[in-house]
Amino acid sequence: FYTPDGDNEINRPVILYMHGGSFTAGDKSTSDCVDFCESFAKMGYVTASLNYRLAPNIINFLTSNETQYETVLKAVSDAKAAVRYFRKDFANGNSYAIDPNAIFVGGYSAGAVIAIHQAYIDNVIDLPTSSIDNNGNAFNVQSIVNNVGGAYGIEGDAGNYGYSSDVNGVISFAGGINDVNWIDNNDEPLVSIQGTNDGTISYNCAPALSSSLVLDLCGAAEMHLQADLAGVLNDKLIYSGEGHSWAANGSNNSKFTQAIEFTSNFLFPLLPCNNTATNVMEVTEKNKRLVKIIDVLGRASNIMTNRPLFYIYSDGSTEYKIIIK
């Protein structure tokens, strides 16, 4: 835990930050975790760097989609329990002096993947019921959730029950989502920072780790297109030509410190201690929002791959592009 030194406030916002490591390695003491948490604690946040369950068998994880789903869902369960821990503490004396209505989750790489799925998988019925693994066997992702969470279902098996695991925003440093359609119009604000040449988690959509045996993840480009379509407050900082590891060494990389500042500016208007209604409106007006998509014949279209489309935005600008998959 990291708390502001000498701060007597009793309603401080919280950020839970999770390390990377492809769900097979990593620890809450890595330099990006420490630097992120210390940076935001100096701004008045309560921050915590979390460990979560890793894949017990690396080979199984890298070759089995079923194991990949199970591993991520267990990590999400751990993150949900951490959110509930803070709300439980608030209800029992508030020793961390937090505002339970200002809890944000984020991370780098796998940590960002956890935060994204924690926020945007709203219900077990969002998940697929019939998937085919790399070995040809069928499996049901909804059954994995029920096996992990038991009677608690999507809330998981990690404890601190009886308190909400809802979050108020998501911070993604080089993260992605398995299905962009999980981002809908009732969802939490999203801020992302990613490089366009990320080979671990694609800036667009591709198998993670650049391996055909690993589930697809869609990065900042696709997540924010969907967030625009769903009307979810969002912003992104894109590093052209940058790969995946810019955040790994924390503040030793200037891009990491820039990402911290960008994230702070995004979160500030969302804090309940500010005039939320006014500030969120101001942020929304500043963001270029996607209004509609049309094809070359002027017909309305959804986001599609391998097809030229025009993306029309609220500021009057238009982008012509092809998303290659």
Side-chain angles (χ1 to χ4, degrees):
F1 298 104
Y2 301 75
T3 58
D5 187 22
D7 184 357
N8 295 319
E9 293 293 330
I10 58 172
N11 61 338
R12 298 179 293 201
V14 180
I15 302 178
L16 308 182
Y17 183 91
M18 290 164 279
H19 64 82
S22 301
F23 293 96
T24 62
D27 182 80
K28 63 184 179 181
S29 63
T30 55
S31 58
D32 65 299
C33 293
V34 173
D35 291 348
F36 182 99
C37 290
E38 287 185 347
S39 295
F40 275 94
K42 291 175 181 177
M43 300 179 203
Y45 290 77
V46 173
T47 57
S49 177
L50 308 182
N51 279 343
Y52 50 88
R53 281 171 284 184
L54 303 175
N57 185 305
I58 295 176
I59 299 300
N60 284 351
F61 175 76
L62 294 176
T63 57
S64 167
N65 290 167
E66 183 175 12
T67 301
Q68 290 153 22
Y69 272 118
E70 181 179 6
T71 300
V72 173
L73 289 167
K74 284 182 177 179
V76 167
S77 171
D78 295 339
K80 284 176 174 283
V83 172
R84 292 195 295 268
Y85 170 83
F86 275 97
R87 290 204 170 100
K88 179 179 179 180
D89 179 83
F90 174 82
N92 291 277
N94 198 17
S95 61
Y96 298 105
I98 71 159
D99 182 343
N101 298 310
I103 299 180
F104 304 92
V105 290
Y108 164 54
S109 191
V113 171
I114 296 168
I116 290 164
H117 290 84
Q118 175 183 358
Y120 298 136
I121 298 176
D122 299 319
N123 195 296
V124 66
I125 63 173
D126 293 340
L127 297 166
T129 57
S130 180
S131 299
I132 304 298
D133 211 338
N134 295 316
N135 61 8
N137 292 336
F139 66 95
N140 184 333
V141 181
Q142 293 186 17
S143 294
I144 295 174
V145 172
N146 294 327
N147 290 338
V148 171
Y152 296 101
I154 200 72
E155 290 301 312
D157 62 348
N160 297 322
Y161 302 116
Y163 301 89
S164 172
S165 63
D166 291 347
V167 298
N168 302 98
V170 181
I171 303 159
S172 172
F173 284 10
I177 193 168
N178 181 236
D179 186 343
V180 294
N181 293 307
W182 292 336
I183 302 174
D184 59 42
N185 60 2
N186 295 314
D187 273 328
E188 299 80 3
L190 170 66
V191 58
S192 298
I193 299 89
Q194 191 171 17
T196 58
N197 284 355
D198 194 325
T200 301
I201 297 176
S202 173
Y203 176 64
N204 295 295
C205 291
L209 307 178
S210 297
S211 169
S212 61
L213 299 178
V214 180
L215 291 165
D216 281 5
L217 287 175
C218 298
E222 298 303 305
M223 286 196 297
H224 287 270
L225 279 175
Q226 177 63 21
D228 283 338
L229 287 171
V232 172
L233 183 66
N234 72 94
D235 204 356
K236 62 184 184 294
L237 173 62
I238 304 305
Y239 295 134
S240 180
E242 186 67 29
H244 186 72
S245 62
W246 57 269
N249 294 316
S251 297
N252 289 325
N253 189 321
S254 62
K255 289 183 172 62
F256 184 86
T257 55
Q258 184 183 5
I260 293 287
E261 181 179 1
F262 186 84
T263 301
S264 173
N265 291 338
F266 179 82
L267 295 181
F268 184 76
L270 305 180
L271 302 181
C273 58
N274 296 316
N275 185 339
T276 306
T278 300
N279 283 308
V280 169
M281 185 179 297
E282 289 173 354
V283 171
T284 304
E285 289 174 352
K286 290 179 183 178
N287 287 343
K288 182 171 73 173
R289 303 180 64 79
L290 184 65
V291 176
K292 64 179 178 179
I293 303 171
I294 60 174
D295 64 16
V296 294
L297 298 178
R299 298 172 298 193
S301 175
N302 294 319
I303 298 173
M304 302 181 71
T305 58
N306 304 317
R307 179 174 296 184
L309 296 170
F310 292 93
Y311 293 75
I312 301 172
Y313 294 90
S314 58
D315 64 354
S317 64
T318 300
E319 293 180 352
Y320 173 77
K321 59 184 177 181
I322 304 173
I323 299 172
I324 303 298
K325 182 176 180 181

